[in-house]
């Protein structure tokens, strides 16, 4: 049942120059090891984290099941003091809980005002930010956000894509990441930026028969590993242990390509959104025709899109 996975390439001690010259243009995920990340990889124990940022309130996801689903929203949002949250996220069974004694916790840091401010560890967690050295393999003005994340052991995030390139820096703990190429979007049963296939290891093939066609890439991130996830690559993440990570997103396209109201880095570029709106209007126009004609002209539209927009040179 499980798809055969292609191992994501691991490269040690890659310099900025080599990354930009040899790796970045290929637009494929790669795990970078042996990079200088600062003292965070040794310092960030649960005790240190709790004490460093104290009892400031954080908004977290709480889920009664390990597999979180953003489409059905099978989790609740709650607020806890940061030190209490860290302690709980590191536990397996909880004496105090919101839903169940083995509930899972997930923090995805956000800006002060979620609608206007982006996540930036330097602003939201300034003390911890001092321990981190972010590999700046991009220009300073391309920087978009640095998202601080903490997950309970066993927590699995839904499969989704982001519209910006990013580094997933695994500071402590261990994660398994499954990835799919943008080219395999037709097999992933998309709803917006997210896939409906939650269980990538045991998919319901009666419901999602095409999913077997998607080529699965996989890696395990240990503390200190950095995964480069190119924009539009789908990823599904399981925290195999309690862990702390930092995502750094940067603008790969010209700044004006992105939606100014996008604080999460996951809204489609402006031109893509406009194109989809135009397509929706075109499909609505086709509804004026009888079914046989609608079918014929829709197929012609598909052919036009294929010949104008599809690439043939993907690996």
């Amino acid at each position: 049942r499980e798809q055969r996975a292609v191992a994501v390439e691991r490269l040690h001690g890659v310099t900025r120059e080599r990354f930009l010259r040899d790796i970045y243009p290929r637009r494929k995920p790669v795990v970078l090891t042996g990079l200088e990340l600062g003292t965070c990889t040794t310092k960030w124990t649960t005790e240190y984290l709790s004490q460093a940022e104290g009892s400031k309130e954080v908004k977290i996801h709480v889920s009664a099941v390990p597999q979180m689903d953003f489409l059905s929203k099978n989790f609740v949002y709650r607020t806890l003091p940061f030190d209490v949250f860290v302690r709980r996220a590191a536990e397996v069974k909880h004496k105090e809980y919101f839903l169940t004694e083995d509930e899972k916790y997930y923090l995805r840091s956000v800006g002060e005002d979620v609608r206007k401010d982006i996540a930036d560890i330097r602003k939201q967690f300034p003390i911890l930010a001092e321990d981190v050295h972010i590999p700046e393999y991009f220009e300073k003005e391309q920087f978009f956000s640095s998202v601080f994340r903490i997950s309970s052991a066993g927590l699995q995030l839904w499969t989704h894509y982001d519209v910006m390139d990013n580094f997933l820096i695994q500071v402590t703990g261990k994660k398994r990441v499954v990835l799919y190429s943008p080219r395999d979007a037709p097999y992933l049963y998309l709803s917006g930026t997210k896939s409906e296939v939650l269980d990538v290891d045991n998919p319901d093939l009666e419901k999602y028969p095409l999913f077997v066609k998607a080529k699965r890439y996989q890696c395990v991130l240990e503390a200190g590993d950095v995964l480069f996830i190119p924009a539009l690559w789908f990823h599904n993440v399981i925290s195999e242990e309690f862990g702390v990570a930092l995502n750094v997103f940067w603008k790969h396209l010209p700044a004006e390509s992105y939606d100014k109201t996008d604080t999460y880095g996951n809204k489609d570029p402006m031109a893509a959104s406009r194109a989809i709106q135009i397509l929706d209007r075109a499909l609505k126009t086709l509804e004026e025709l009888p079914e046989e004609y609608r079918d014929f002209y829709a197929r012609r539209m598909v052919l036009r899109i294929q010949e104008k927009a599809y690439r043939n040179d993907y690996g």
Side-chain angles (χ1 to χ4, degrees):
R1 295 280 295 255
E2 192 174 315
Q3 297 150 302
R4 294 242 330 272
V6 178
V8 174
E9 190 177 10
R10 295 176 71 86
L11 295 171
H12 188 76
V14 172
T15 61
R16 182 181 196 267
E17 293 67 36
R18 186 182 161 207
F19 177 77
L20 292 174
R21 186 187 66 229
D22 302 335
I23 298 161
Y24 197 50
R26 294 194 331 226
R27 312 299 299 152
K28 284 199 164 178
V30 64
V31 179
L32 305 172
T33 64
L35 298 188
E36 177 46 58
L37 300 174
T39 55
C40 55
T41 49
T42 49
K43 243 170 133 173
W44 285 7
T45 60
T46 49
E47 293 75 27
Y48 174 77
L49 290 168
S50 305
Q51 163 257 310
E53 294 288 352
S55 59
K56 73 156 104 196
E57 302 261 285
V58 286
K59 192 176 182 187
I60 54 168
H61 301 67
V62 182
S63 177
V65 294
Q67 244 165 15
M68 282 173 66
D69 178 0
F70 200 81
L71 296 171
S72 72
K73 297 280 197 295
N74 67 345
F75 53 84
V76 294
Y77 291 105
R78 292 290 181 267
T79 304
L80 279 176
F82 183 71
D83 50 359
V84 175
F85 157 70
V86 169
R87 205 164 53 245
R88 283 213 212 167
E91 298 168 344
V92 178
K93 285 267 187 279
H94 313 294
K95 288 193 178 70
E96 294 171 59
Y97 50 85
F98 297 108
L99 306 170
T100 64
E101 62 175 13
D102 52 3
E103 65 194 13
K104 306 288 183 194
Y105 297 89
Y106 172 56
L107 166 72
R108 185 238 188 256
S109 66
V110 291
E112 306 311 314
D113 178 339
V114 184
R115 287 183 304 280
K116 289 204 209 81
D117 304 328
I118 57 156
D120 186 340
I121 190 172
R122 292 166 300 190
K123 292 179 183 156
Q124 286 101 41
F125 298 92
I127 296 163
L128 295 178
E130 288 175 18
D131 303 333
V132 185
H133 179 263
I134 292 171
E136 290 191 0
Y137 286 20
F138 49 89
E139 299 302 323
K140 282 228 180 327
E141 59 274 13
Q142 286 180 287
F143 171 84
F144 175 71
S145 65
S146 49
V147 181
F148 183 61
R149 299 180 192 269
I150 296 183
S151 312
S152 293
L155 185 82
Q156 183 170 17
L157 289 185
W158 53 90
T159 305
H160 68 284
Y161 71 86
D162 299 295
V163 299
M164 293 185 197
D165 289 342
N166 80 84
F167 278 153
L168 171 53
I169 302 167
Q170 191 62 25
V171 181
T172 71
K174 193 160 107 176
K175 275 199 177 86
R176 185 199 77 175
V177 187
V178 173
L179 302 112
Y180 299 96
S181 155
R183 200 174 190 186
D184 282 345
Y187 315 131
L188 297 179
Y189 297 88
L190 296 188
S191 177
T193 60
K194 301 159 191 76
S195 166
E196 289 178 20
V197 186
L198 279 192
D199 192 340
V200 294
D201 300 312
N202 296 292
D204 179 344
L205 295 179
E206 282 181 17
K207 201 172 177 186
Y208 308 117
L210 295 177
F211 185 67
V212 288
K213 293 187 175 188
K215 185 175 177 182
R216 174 186 177 119
Y217 294 78
Q218 188 168 305
C219 60
V220 172
L221 300 180
E222 307 276 355
D225 288 349
V226 176
L227 172 62
F228 167 53
I229 306 177
L232 310 182
W233 272 77
F234 296 88
H235 42 288
N236 177 289
V237 181
I238 288 189
S239 296
E240 297 194 341
E241 303 167 347
F242 164 79
V244 184
L246 184 67
N247 261 122
V248 184
F249 291 88
W250 67 91
K251 295 174 179 176
H252 165 57
L253 306 176
E256 61 277 9
S257 307
Y258 300 99
D259 187 328
K260 295 276 184 292
T261 66
D262 186 7
T263 54
Y264 283 91
N266 62 4
K267 283 189 181 176
D268 291 315
M270 304 288 277
S273 296
R274 286 200 308 276
I276 288 167
Q277 284 167 1
I278 293 164
L279 178 64
D280 286 340
R281 283 204 297 276
L283 291 169
K284 199 153 185 55
T285 308
L286 281 188
E287 285 173 18
E288 295 169 21
L289 294 165
E291 188 181 20
E292 182 185 348
Y293 285 77
R294 205 164 60 224
D295 179 282
F296 174 70
Y297 287 103
R299 286 173 195 273
R300 282 194 58 190
M301 283 165 70
V302 168
L303 290 170
R304 287 284 292 278
I305 289 171
Q306 280 181 330
E307 70 191 34
K308 291 278 184 208
Y310 272 32
R311 282 174 55 179
N312 299 317
D313 59 342
Y314 265 102

